[in-house]
Structures are given as structure tokens and as C-alpha cells.
């Protein structure tokens, strides 16, 4: 079972008992290659496939992606006399939103590029990994889930539901309270769960490394990188500043982690408040 395949139910993660349905609207799925044509500036979002691609192959990949966008009706085919120029621009990654992009995709990319705060989460289970992003623009949140095969799944939600959506994304649906003493880790853990925690968590766990990134101009203080390990055998948190070589894993109750996750969502939302939005980067 991979992180992408986990059956998250965000409504179950709401400690207030609120019964409001938290719904999202699925949008288009795009590949790394297609996004490199449509939006050269990827910001904090990972590009798993393009990152591993040899530089000499980028031009050919982008040309193929451009043709695929036209074939799927996401980009209008250019006039015959400008086709060569358009393909050359796609190969160099310089066309961005100057193309005639289908309205729903254009709207999603515009939200993505104008977000005043982004919550980024790397999710790992014992068998897989993916990445989850929430791009905040006033009362709207654009969700982006990225798999290791370079597929970016987009959905649209309400910013007021961000806390519940984030809980559903980063906490294991069958998480229980952690027990025991703190565990000192000699170095900040990598993508795998530390051996000390695996003894407690077993193989059924979800690791989520969560970070809030704000655009320039916001004065809202943001939390450090937060690592969460949750599963049926318990819940732990690892708090470490980026670049730190030592960390402590602390057993946590599910309620404590929910409160912390909601606090991160609130801080991200505060960065979108009027008067705190800065220029997009």
C-alpha cells in the first residue's frame, strides 16, 4: 500500500465532531513534462521525472509534451505559420501561459502561481512515497498530489476546510495514541522511518514531513519542518529545524497531532489575509 493508495477520510479527522461534508472538485491531471511547458516556474513543487532526466533529453521531452497537450485539447493548436516557433518555445520552456490554454487548466495554473502560502507534505509508507501540496489563494485552496511517476493530480477545495483536508492528508486514518519515552535520533531521519520507531510502529505507518512556505511580503511566523509518524500502533512527532543533525521523536496523542496540524493550517491561512500578500515568486 502506497501513500497515494491510503484511503483517507478527512471528515473522520475532525475532532470537533462537525458533520459538514468536506468536498473537493477533481481537476485535470498533468505530467511533469506538460507542466514544464505550461508553467516553467514550479515553485516548491517537486518534479520527480524531470529531475532524473538527463539535460540533453529535455528538449525532446518538452516537444512531445507540447504535442500531447494539443492532442488532449488542453492547448489550442497554433496557426500553421507559428507552429515551428511554438514548438521551439515549448522545448526551451519559455511559452508558459502565453499559449491558448483551456480555461479550467489555465485557472488552476493561475491559482498555483499566485498562491500567497503553500503547505507542502512529503508522505512515505513502508512501500511508497508521494507529495501533497495545498496552494492557498484567499478563500480557495488548490490541492496538488504528485506521484513518483510525475503525475500531478489537481483538485479544488475551500480554504475554510484546509485544517480538515490537511489532517486527512498527513495523519494515518487508523492512527492511535503513542506511548513510551522520547527517542533521541543521532541524525535527522531520512525518507525511511528510524529503526527506533519501526520497532514501535511496525510496517503499517504513514510518515508525513510538513512545511508551510509563504510568499514574499508576509510577516506571519511559520513553524519549523514537522515530521509526523502515525499508524495503528501509535503516533510520534519529530521536530527539527532544517539542516539540524539531531532530533527527538516524541510520542503524541492523536488529538495533540490534530491540534498541531490545524495550527499549521491556520498559520498558512493567516499568510493569505488582506494586506499580507506579497508578490508571487
Amino acid at each position: 500500500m502506497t501513500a497515494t493508495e491510503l484511503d483517507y477520510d478527512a471528515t473522520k479527522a475532525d475532532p470537533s465532531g462537525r458533520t459538514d461534508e468536506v468536498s473537493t472538485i477533481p481537476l485535470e491531471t498533468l505530467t511533469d513534462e506538460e507542466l514544464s511547458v505550461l508553467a516553467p516556474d514550479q515553485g516548491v513543487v517537486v518534479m520527480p521525472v524531470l529531475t532524473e532526466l538527463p539535460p540533453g533529453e529535455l528538449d525532446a521531452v518538452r516537444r512531445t509534451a507540447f504535442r500531447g497537450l494539443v492532442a488532449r485539447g488542453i492547448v489550442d493548436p497554433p496557426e500553421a505559420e507559428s507552429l515551428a516557433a511554438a514548438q521551439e518555445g515549448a522545448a526551451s520552456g519559455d511559452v508558459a501561459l502565453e499559449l491558448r490554454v483551456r480555461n479550467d487548466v489555465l485557472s488552476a495554473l493561475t491559482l498555483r502561481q499566485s498562491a500567497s502560502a503553500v503547505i507542502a507534505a512529503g508522505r512515505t509508507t513502508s512501500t511508497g512515497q508521494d507529495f501533497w501540496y495545498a496552494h492557498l489563494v484567499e478563500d480557495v485552496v488548490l490541492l496538488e498530489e504528485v506521484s513518483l511517476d510525475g503525475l500531478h493530480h489537481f483538485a479544488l477545495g475551500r480554504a475554510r476546510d484546509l485544517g480538515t483536508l490537511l489532517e486527512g492528508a498527513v495523519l494515518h486514518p487508523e492512527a492511535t495514541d503513542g506511548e513510551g519515552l522520547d527517542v533521541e535520533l543521532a541524525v535527522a531521519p531520512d525518507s525511511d522511518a528510524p529503526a527506533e520507531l519501526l520497532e514501535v510502529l511496525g510496517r503499517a505507518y504513514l510518515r508525513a514531513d510538513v512545511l508551510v512556505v509563504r510568499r514574499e511580503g508576509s510577516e506571519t511566523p511559520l513553524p519549523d519542518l514537522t515530521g509526523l509518524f502515525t499508524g495503528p500502533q501509535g503516533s510520534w512527532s519529530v521536530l527539527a529545524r532544517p539542516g539540524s543533525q539531531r532530533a527527538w521523536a516524541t510520542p503524541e496523542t492523536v488529538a495533540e497531532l490534530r491540534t498541531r496540524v490545524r495550527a499549521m493550517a491556520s498559520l498558512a491561512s493567516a499568510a493569505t489575509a488582506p494586506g499580507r500578500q506579497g508578490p508571487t515568486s
Side-chain angles (χ1 to χ4, degrees):
M1 178 173 62
T2 67
T4 306
E5 293 168 344
L6 284 174
D7 182 17
Y8 296 109
D9 185 347
T11 59
K12 291 182 181 178
D14 190 345
S16 68
R18 190 181 69 178
T19 57
D20 298 354
E21 181 179 358
V22 176
S23 60
T24 58
I25 301 173
L27 302 176
E28 187 62 71
T29 296
L30 299 169
T31 66
D32 276 6
E33 302 91 320
E34 290 169 340
L35 280 170
S36 73
V37 172
L38 296 170
D41 180 9
Q42 301 304 322
V44 300
V45 178
V46 298
M47 304 286 277
V49 171
L50 285 190
T51 300
E52 300 297 326
L53 197 66
E57 298 181 15
L58 286 176
D59 285 357
V61 164
R62 286 179 174 144
R63 288 177 186 273
T64 301
F66 177 78
R67 288 170 56 83
L69 289 168
V70 172
R72 293 169 60 192
I74 294 176
V75 172
D76 287 348
E79 300 294 334
E81 60 271 15
S82 61
L83 178 58
Q87 289 180 328
E88 181 180 352
S92 62
D94 294 332
V95 291
L97 299 181
E98 295 178 3
L99 296 170
R100 291 189 197 173
V101 182
R102 200 175 67 201
N103 284 340
D104 60 323
V105 174
L106 178 60
S107 297
L109 294 177
T110 301
L111 288 173
R112 188 175 186 256
Q113 292 182 326
S114 60
S116 50
V118 180
I119 298 181
R123 306 188 298 190
T124 307
T125 67
S126 60
T127 59
Q129 184 180 36
D130 70 355
F131 305 88
W132 185 93
Y133 301 89
H135 308 270
L136 281 150
V137 183
E138 298 181 353
D139 59 347
V140 174
V141 57
L142 178 72
L143 305 176
E144 181 175 359
E145 186 175 342
V146 186
S147 56
L148 287 182
D149 57 1
L151 295 179
H152 299 245
H153 305 277
F154 291 95
L156 193 64
R158 297 173 296 191
R160 71 183 188 186
D161 296 330
L162 180 60
T164 303
L165 292 168
L166 183 58
E167 285 182 24
V170 302
L171 299 182
H172 194 287
E174 299 177 3
T176 60
D177 294 347
E179 298 179 351
L181 301 175
D182 293 356
V183 176
E184 183 178 7
L185 307 175
V187 295
D190 56 18
S191 60
D192 296 323
E196 299 92 335
L197 291 185
L198 279 177
E199 293 179 4
V200 179
L201 292 169
R203 299 291 290 175
Y205 70 88
L206 169 65
R207 170 181 178 160
D209 296 302
V210 190
L211 183 67
V212 180
V213 182
R214 62 168 177 252
R215 298 298 189 186
E216 296 178 5
S218 173
E219 298 178 356
T220 306
L222 298 180
D224 297 328
L225 175 67
T226 300
L228 307 176
F229 294 85
T230 57
Q233 301 303 314
S235 299
W236 295 67
S237 67
V238 177
L239 300 180
R241 294 184 181 277
S244 172
Q245 293 302 306
R246 303 190 72 83
W248 289 85
T250 304
E252 304 268 12
T253 68
V254 176
E256 289 170 339
L257 292 185
R258 286 174 174 167
T259 298
R260 185 173 302 165
V261 167
R262 284 186 172 269
M264 295 182 73
S266 296
L267 283 172
S269 297
T272 70
R276 291 191 173 181
Q277 295 186 25
T280 59
S281 58

